[in-house]
Amino acid sequence: MTPPPRRERRAPEADVEDPERLYVITGGPDGAVRAPLDLVTMIVAQEEPSPTVQPEQAAILRLCHRPLSVAEISAYLSLPFSVVTALLTELLATELVESRAPIVRAALPDRSLLEAVMHGLQKL
């Protein structure tokens, strides 16, 4: 009886660990203004990836069919935050993605108010 095939871990992508590739992706230190994104900014794709976008940008567009934070995108793609920010800046400029501010906790109603409404509804 032959043993079942062993699963092997895939080697990390060579492009991700290659500093030259990251330099090419970001366009180098051209001094271009980047979009004001932080780790919790939510990103949503507006369109499907076209054949003309970079592979990393296409991966972002496929990931963001539902809202994802910039930190999540960075983690899923194993790319540094600065590289993801550069890629997102280009996607925002071409309106392929939309950025949304996260819901601020202070903007949510107070818990005591919600409890008072709930108790009022229960008394009806």
Side-chain angles (χ1 to χ4, degrees):
M1 190 182 233
T2 61
R6 295 181 61 196
R7 291 187 174 184
E8 294 183 19
R9 289 189 174 186
R10 292 187 329 187
E13 298 291 329
D15 292 344
V16 173
E17 295 181 2
D18 186 13
E20 293 172 0
R21 173 69 180 148
L22 297 179
Y23 183 84
V24 170
I25 291 172
T26 60
D30 59 358
V33 179
R34 292 193 180 166
L37 302 171
D38 57 7
L39 291 171
V40 294
T41 301
M42 303 302 286
I43 304 295
V44 181
Q46 299 298 312
E47 296 182 21
E48 292 294 319
S50 67
T52 59
V53 298
Q54 295 179 24
E56 294 81 9
Q57 291 175 329
I60 290 172
L61 291 171
R62 282 190 297 274
L63 277 174
C64 294
H65 63 276
R66 292 189 182 143
L68 281 179
S69 70
V70 177
E72 290 173 311
I73 295 168
S74 178
Y76 285 137
L77 297 179
S78 300
L79 290 173
F81 173 74
S82 58
V83 173
V84 172
T85 303
L87 293 169
L88 288 173
T89 299
E90 292 177 23
L91 290 172
L92 285 165
T94 57
E95 298 180 353
L96 292 174
V97 297
E98 178 181 315
S99 66
R100 300 178 182 167
I103 298 173
V104 181
R105 180 125 175 98
L108 296 175
D110 184 29
R111 182 181 173 100
S112 61
L113 174 66
L114 292 175
E115 288 175 357
V117 169
M118 182 180 71
H119 292 303
L121 291 172
Q122 288 174 343
K123 289 181 182 180
L124 290 176

